[in-house]
């Protein structure tokens, strides 16, 4: 454990939003292990009261009023970390959380004089086509313009997002891929490696005032290779089912007129568009000069491998790596 208390020039108290989420839980634990004091703000509470460095306040991050009231409470905070993300994934929720709640956090950070703001964003915002991506970018821009020291972290896919088919394969089903299963790739990163990277940003000036795309240890992997790896670990003969990604396009076109008159259908159509995006776009650095994704230019961090994650999940199940809305992928 690093002894941060003996160095008063280093950040001591971190406000964490999203501590109940998949990555936020790891970030919270990593901060506490490093000796930081953690103040968690959010609507859901965590059972962590035995750690005297941990405090939580139940607050609606989307409520401007509650957040302004809190900012007048005289709290001293050195750094803010946001691991927020829309749980529902619909168009309105995306703006409420990815933009609105983060903007409230930024206002709070400015009012209480926090020195830095670390934002967990996503690499897919490089080529925005979806509502949640536009909301994320709007906040990234607001953060950059605010004048506070910022670190905008844009990770590639999380290991858990590549684990949605494990139970099906165990049950003897085929691995489902879009297109030929080689059109997209990512450099997946583990939750612990990403959390270490996020927490380093609080202390490392080299990581501040930068947009940081980040992947796990390479090389990049495509869906066919993911399926082959899983079948090898399961000791089963590979069996693939190929679905044309144009399927999403056809469904979204059919839904388009109804989406204009119904918010529910508009959200359903957004999920179809999200499906199409992940079936056709890589989670790698987008090289705008050559208009191509580049595996080589996607920075790597950490040491956990997807293969070791798959081995662990095959042995012990997905406990702690719940897939949420990413189940399909
Ligand atoms: N999945 C991937 O492969 C991937 C890759 C790159 C980037 N990302 C991005 O990484 C971020 C974190 O992902 P994750 O999987 O850790 O997210 P997650 O598990 O869904 O957690 C989201 C967090 O945000 C909080 N939150 C959501 N809506 C809220 C609201 N209205 N008010 C207050 N808190 C709210 C949740 O609190 P509650 O517990 O109260 O719901 C939870 O703590 C997201 O922005 C995501 O887009 C994901």
């Amino acid at each position: 454990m690093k002894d941060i208390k003996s160095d008063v020039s280093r950040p001591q108290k971190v406000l964490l939003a999203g501590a109940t989420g998949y990555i936020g839980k790891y970030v919270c634990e990593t901060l506490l292990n490093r000796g930081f004091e953690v103040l968690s703000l959010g609507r859901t509470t965590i059972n962590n009261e035995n750690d005297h460095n941990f405090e939580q306040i139940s607050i609606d991050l989307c409520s401007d009023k509650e957040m302004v009231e809190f900012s007048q409470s005289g709290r001293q905070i050195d750094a803010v970390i946001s691991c927020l993300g829309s749980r529902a994934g619909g168009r309105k929720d995306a703006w409420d959380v990815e933009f609105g709640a983060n903007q409230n956090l930024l206002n709070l950070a400015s009012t209480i004089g926090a020195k830095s703001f670390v934002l967990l964003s996503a690499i897919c915002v490089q080529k925005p086509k979806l509502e949640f991506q536009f909301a994320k970018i709007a906040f990234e821009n607001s953060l950059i313009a605010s004048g506070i020291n910022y670190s905008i972290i844009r990770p590639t896919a999380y290991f858990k997002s590549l684990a949605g088919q494990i139970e099906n394969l165990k049950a003897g089903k085929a691995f489902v891929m879009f297109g030929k299963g080689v059109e997209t790739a990512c450099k997946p990163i583990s939750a612990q490696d990403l959390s270490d990277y996020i927490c380093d940003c609080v202390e490392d000036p080299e990581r501040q005032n930068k947009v940081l795309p980040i992947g796990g240890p390479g090389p990049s992997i495509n869906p066919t290779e993911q399926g082959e790896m899983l079948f090898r670990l399961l000791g089963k003969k590979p069996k693939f089912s190929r679905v044309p990604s144009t399927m999403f396009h056809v469904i979204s076109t059919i839904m388009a007129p109804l989406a204009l008159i119904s918010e529910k259908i508009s959200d359903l159509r957004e999920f179809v568009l999200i499906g199409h995006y992940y079936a056709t776009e890589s989670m790698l650095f987008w090289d705008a000069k050559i208009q191509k994704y580049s595996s080589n230019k996607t920075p790597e961090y950490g040491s956990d491998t997807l293969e070791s994650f798959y081995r662990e999940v095959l042995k012990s199940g997905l406990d702690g790596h719940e897939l949420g809305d990413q189940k399909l992928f």
Side-chain angles (χ1 to χ4, degrees):
M1 185 205 293
K2 294 181 187 173
D3 179 21
I4 66 165
K5 300 284 175 210
S6 58
D7 182 354
V8 287
S9 67
R10 296 172 72 189
Q12 310 272 326
K13 187 148 194 164
V14 177
L15 188 158
L16 175 61
T20 50
Y22 179 62
I23 298 298
K25 278 183 197 160
Y26 282 82
V27 170
C28 187
E29 202 181 305
T30 306
L31 288 170
L32 291 170
N33 286 340
R34 290 185 183 195
F36 288 99
E37 288 172 54
V38 177
L39 172 61
S40 161
L41 286 196
R43 58 185 176 180
T44 313
T45 51
I46 319 167
N47 185 10
N48 208 358
E49 297 298 349
N50 290 336
D51 195 317
H52 67 276
N53 272 341
F54 179 78
E55 185 190 357
Q56 60 190 326
I57 292 180
S58 192
I59 190 167
D60 180 356
L61 297 172
C62 293
S63 160
D64 305 359
K65 186 168 167 278
E66 280 186 47
M67 292 293 280
V68 168
E69 274 168 19
F70 178 76
S71 69
Q72 290 157 353
S73 63
R75 293 274 180 161
Q76 296 280 306
I77 300 289
D78 297 310
V80 173
I81 300 180
S82 170
C83 294
L84 290 173
S86 163
R87 291 270 195 198
R91 294 161 65 92
K92 182 177 180 305
D93 197 59
W95 278 98
D96 286 351
V97 180
E98 314 276 9
F99 181 77
N102 273 322
Q103 187 60 46
N104 281 340
L105 269 179
L106 176 58
N107 295 341
L108 171 68
S110 306
T111 310
I112 61 183
K115 293 177 202 77
S116 62
F117 193 116
V118 181
L119 173 70
L120 175 57
S121 184
I123 203 161
C124 61
V125 304
Q126 303 167 112
K127 272 186 89 182
K129 294 182 181 171
L130 304 164
E131 210 61 31
F132 84 87
Q133 295 166 338
F134 290 120
K136 275 186 192 294
I137 289 185
F139 180 66
E140 284 190 3
N141 289 336
S142 173
L143 177 57
I144 292 168
S146 71
I148 196 169
N149 288 319
Y150 66 85
S151 304
I152 294 173
I153 302 170
R154 291 178 171 177
T156 76
Y158 303 159
F159 284 178
K160 72 157 182 175
S161 300
L162 307 185
Q165 301 196 49
I166 291 182
E167 287 309 311
N168 285 352
L169 302 203
K170 276 164 99 175
K173 293 186 185 159
F175 186 89
V176 179
M177 306 184 298
F178 297 100
K180 293 193 172 88
V182 294
E183 295 88 338
T184 64
C186 62
K187 267 189 197 170
I189 187 164
S190 79
Q192 186 57 60
D193 281 340
L194 179 56
S195 300
D196 286 334
Y197 189 85
I198 292 170
C199 295
D200 287 349
C201 291
V202 174
E203 300 183 74
D204 184 357
E206 289 295 308
R207 295 252 184 95
Q208 289 182 351
N209 302 320
K210 287 189 178 135
V211 175
L212 303 157
I214 192 73
S220 58
I221 185 166
N222 65 37
T224 302
E225 290 162 338
Q226 287 162 38
E228 282 167 351
M229 186 188 286
L230 278 170
F231 283 116
R232 176 167 50 78
L233 295 175
L234 280 163
K236 293 188 178 201
K237 195 167 169 260
K239 193 162 71 168
F240 293 100
S241 166
R242 291 176 175 80
V243 180
S245 52
T246 44
M247 172 193 85
F248 292 109
H249 192 63
V250 173
I251 298 172
S252 73
T253 307
I254 294 168
M255 291 172 97
L258 290 170
L260 294 172
I261 49 168
S262 157
E263 198 179 318
K264 203 171 163 195
I265 294 176
S266 172
D267 276 349
L268 285 174
R269 181 168 182 265
E270 189 68 17
F271 297 136
V272 175
L273 294 173
I274 291 172
H276 185 256
Y277 191 95
Y278 289 120
T280 52
E281 301 283 348
S282 288
M283 296 300 119
L284 294 172
F285 179 80
W286 174 250
D287 191 336
K289 268 193 205 146
I290 54 168
Q291 291 288 297
K292 277 191 179 144
Y293 287 105
S294 166
S295 177
N296 288 343
K297 289 187 180 168
T298 307
E300 297 178 8
Y301 181 83
S303 54
D304 294 342
T305 63
L306 182 66
E307 178 158 342
S308 58
F309 172 77
Y310 278 164
R311 278 185 203 281
E312 184 198 316
V313 172
L314 288 172
K315 197 168 134 217
S316 320
L318 268 168
D319 235 13
H321 305 283
E322 284 74 23
L323 298 167
D325 291 333
Q326 292 91 4
K327 188 161 174 39
L328 233 186
F329 312 99

